[in-house]
Amino acid sequence: MKITVESKSGRRAFYCGAKETILNAGLRQGVNLPYECATGSCGTCRARVISGDVEVRWKDAPGGKKLKPEKGDVLMCQTRACSDCVLRVPSEISTRDENRPALRRGVIRNIRKLTSDVVHFDLHLSDPMDFEAGQFVVLETDELSGGRAYSMVNFDRAAARIAFVLKRKPSGGFSDWLFTRENVDLPVEVFGPLGRSIFRPEEGKNIVCIAGGSGIAGMMSILEHATRADHFSKYKGAVFFGVRTLADAFYLEALSGYVAASRGNLEVTIALSDETATTPAHPDHPSLKLASGMVHEVAARAIEDRYCNMIAYVAGPPIMVDGAIRALIVGGVPTLDIRYDKFS
Ligand SMILES: Cc1cc2nc3c(=O)[nH]c(=O)nc-3n(C[C@H](O)[C@H](O)[C@H](O)COP(=O)(O)OP(=O)(O)OC[C@H]3O[C@@H](n4cnc5c(N)ncnc54)[C@H](O)[C@@H]3O)c2cc1C
Ligand code: FES
């Protein structure tokens, strides 16, 4: 099917297969359609169907609450084309050639518990994938309807294995599916890489990472890339990792390793929201600081006077991400220097 998308920046056309969403079809052909979550929760990919027939996969997607379906409004990440279509989007769209997302097959292996409700898992890909630190993929299994977004934890070029961390969501379809599996090979479809909350050392900036729970995933990839690129020999880094209690924190050895490699230029603070920090540093990992309070408030206090030449990365539950963005803006950080992923 031929899809034509009209926008403030002109018309772009691309082809869409019967089984893919309009968003995925455009992105894999280099058309930068608007999106954030790619999984139906944020509403950023909204478009109006001007002509043609479409099929909406997930009619109750939370991102579609403000749409007017009677006027042809759809979420492109939840919509398939049934004929040639013309759509209109409210924003500008551009094109790009490098690092386009693609559909691959993968096998989930090595599921291991990090805390009572967090697991690590590896994904072995059918074809290697290049991605930027901070990006994510959408995973889909035949056993559930719909895709789920997970951020890469590691950082490698032409990666054949990617690592993830998953926080169990109460009654969550995918998290229940993964938590209750035996450690056998689990086949999935993988679409990516996706996401614009990217770290590039060549931007030459100090970095601040504010993560709630599994929001630390993309920050680990950023820290790995920054450490390998020797970024902390010239620039400062501050990571704020929010968890409920000390027992909920994970990746502490890896975080201590990044602090040690930074020669004093990277600070990591674990912020405890439901417990008082009784020591200034982690008892078993003394290079990691401890603080009490919500992670975005702890971060705002700590970096009050350090907002210079900085890019901020924020990821985690939407309420926490909104709080962190507000605190950063109040602190004078330009919105263009704030990159975020809402884990909704
Ligand atoms: C950019 C991004 C990166 C993320 N990275 C991580 C991460 O690294 N680690 C982590 O733990 N979490 C991450 N999340 C959050 C994670 O994607 C959600 O917690 C996950 O979708 C929960 O899935 P679930 O099946 O367990 O829960 P459910 O409540 O069953 O499903 C939630 C999501 O599944 C999809 N869905 C549900 N039902 C349907 C349906 N009928 N049809 C189509 N789709 C459906 C939708 O995407 C929905 O938003 C990320 C989220 C985003 C947006
Ligand atoms: S990108 Fe489609 S709802 Fe978020």
Side-chain angles (χ1 to χ4, degrees):
M1 274 84 58
K2 185 182 174 193
I3 308 295
T4 306
V5 179
E6 297 176 352
S7 73
K8 286 180 193 155
S9 47
R11 290 160 75 94
R12 315 266 172 195
F14 54 88
Y15 289 92
C16 185
K19 290 189 178 158
E20 63 186 339
T21 63
I22 291 175
L23 178 71
N24 287 8
L27 294 177
R28 79 175 168 75
Q29 289 165 83
V31 181
N32 269 335
L33 298 170
Y35 77 97
E36 269 181 25
C37 71
T39 49
S41 53
C42 71
T44 309
C45 66
R46 72 184 189 280
R48 183 159 289 180
V49 181
I50 307 300
S51 67
D53 295 323
V54 297
E55 177 205 1
V56 175
R57 283 183 85 189
W58 188 22
K59 294 195 173 60
D60 300 326
K65 274 190 190 132
K66 291 185 186 153
L67 301 185
K68 295 183 174 144
E70 69 284 1
K71 293 198 170 166
D73 288 355
V74 294
L75 296 174
M76 289 186 283
C77 72
Q78 299 300 323
T79 304
R80 288 175 176 158
C82 305
S83 70
D84 291 353
C85 293
V86 177
L87 282 83
R88 189 181 302 140
V89 299
S91 52
E92 298 194 356
I93 45 176
S94 56
T95 52
R96 69 166 175 178
D97 289 326
E98 87 292 354
N99 203 11
R100 294 178 182 178
L103 186 65
R104 293 173 173 78
R105 298 208 155 267
V107 176
I108 292 179
R109 289 185 188 138
N110 186 26
I111 306 170
R112 65 192 152 80
K113 262 193 168 184
L114 299 179
T115 71
S116 61
D117 61 356
V118 174
V119 290
H120 168 106
F121 64 95
D122 290 335
L123 179 68
H124 294 258
L125 293 168
S126 56
D127 304 297
M129 183 175 83
D130 267 343
F131 60 89
E132 303 291 342
Q135 287 197 292
F136 69 96
V137 293
V138 171
L139 303 183
E140 205 162 334
T141 154
D142 285 347
E143 296 178 44
L144 290 170
S145 97
R148 271 72 173 165
Y150 294 101
S151 309
M152 277 68 96
V153 169
N154 58 333
F155 176 76
D156 274 313
R157 290 293 173 206
R161 178 195 69 88
I162 40 184
F164 297 93
V165 64
L166 175 146
K167 181 166 176 16
R168 190 171 197 173
K169 191 178 165 192
S171 310
F174 195 91
S175 40
D176 279 354
W177 178 76
L178 205 71
F179 259 79
T180 50
R181 293 293 126 161
E182 297 296 316
N183 225 334
V184 291
D185 289 4
L186 301 171
V188 282
E189 280 193 344
V190 187
F191 187 78
L194 294 165
R196 298 176 177 124
S197 185
I198 287 172
F199 165 71
R200 288 206 179 94
E202 55 273 25
E203 288 184 85
K205 300 258 188 176
N206 301 313
I207 58 176
V208 167
C209 300
I210 307 176
S214 57
I216 197 71
M219 313 302 174
M220 298 302 285
S221 185
I222 289 172
L223 291 174
E224 179 65 27
H225 189 15
T227 302
R228 282 198 218 165
D230 205 16
H231 192 70
F232 298 122
S233 63
K234 287 196 193 136
Y235 302 99
K236 298 265 185 198
V239 175
F240 299 89
F241 178 18
V243 286
R244 286 180 309 249
T245 69
L246 206 49
D248 294 310
F250 52 92
Y251 288 150
L252 301 180
E253 224 149 272
L255 288 167
S256 301
Y258 293 130
V259 173
S262 77
R263 284 163 279 163
N265 278 332
L266 173 69
E267 284 177 7
V268 175
T269 305
I270 316 281
L272 309 177
S273 61
D274 294 10
E275 193 173 78
T276 305
T278 50
T279 51
H282 192 290
D284 303 325
H285 300 275
S287 65
L288 308 181
K289 297 180 179 182
L290 288 184
S292 310
M294 303 303 284
V295 65
H296 58 283
E297 292 165 6
V298 170
R301 280 195 297 274
I303 54 176
E304 227 170 9
D305 51 353
R306 288 195 263 160
Y307 285 116
C308 182
N309 187 35
M310 183 195 89
I311 293 196
Y313 298 89
V314 187
I319 291 183
M320 175 248 131
V321 172
D322 288 337
I325 293 173
R326 265 197 306 276
L328 290 163
I329 290 173
V330 169
V333 183
T335 46
L336 278 178
D337 292 335
I338 304 173
R339 301 177 187 172
Y340 65 88
D341 280 318
K342 291 186 185 179
F343 284 17
S344 44

